[in-house]
Amino acid sequence: QVQLVESGGGLVQAGGSLRLSCAASGRTFSSYAMGWFRQAPGKEREFVAAISWSGGSTYYADSVKGRFTISRDNAKNTVYLQMNSLKPEDTAVYYCAAGIGGSYVYEYDYWGQGTQVTVSS
């Protein structure tokens, strides 16, 4: 069992940066791949980024490639999402998730409660 708590969301102007954190409880954190997803009002939850259990592999949605960076610290049971050059279309609730990895919601078993990111133009 893994419990996930996101933090770091907020209001930022376009072009700004935010760093999201996701703290995990449970001693099996390092055995899970981790992902970040987001959901804007009226839209489906969409994949943002994922990282392998070791941190050795990462992949990103095309819409955030080159602007967002996912990383993890297994000693701290934490995964991060550094978001730079933010755009208004990045506005959404951001969720972290633990699972087998991949870009589909069904590939993740555990989810956090989400943190709101709002980018003003």
Side-chain angles (χ1 to χ4, degrees), residues 6-119:
E6 302 97 334
S7 61
L11 173 64
V12 64
Q13 289 188 333
S17 298
L18 282 175
R19 187 174 83 152
L20 305 182
S21 299
C22 174
S25 63
R27 288 177 284 182
T28 60
F29 171 77
S30 60
S31 64
Y32 288 96
M34 298 296 295
W36 285 97
F37 288 74
R38 65 188 181 186
Q39 188 166 17
K43 295 188 176 182
E44 293 187 353
R45 194 167 297 191
E46 67 172 3
F47 171 75
V48 175
I51 188 166
S52 62
W53 67 271
S54 68
S57 297
T58 58
Y59 45 102
Y60 301 89
D62 288 343
S63 59
V64 307
K65 203 171 293 183
R67 300 187 298 123
F68 291 10
T69 302
I70 189 171
S71 61
R72 67 189 296 163
D73 184 339
N74 286 343
K76 296 182 178 180
N77 280 11
T78 303
V79 63
Y80 305 97
L81 186 68
Q82 177 67 43
M83 306 186 294
N84 299 329
S85 302
L86 283 161
K87 305 175 181 180
E89 51 263 44
D90 294 317
T91 295
V93 177
Y94 282 70
Y95 299 90
C96 72
I100 62 171
S103 58
Y104 296 98
V105 170
Y106 68 78
E107 294 176 298
Y108 295 85
D109 299 312
Y110 303 102
W111 293 82
Q113 83 290 347
T115 186
Q116 177 71 46
V117 172
T118 303
V119 184

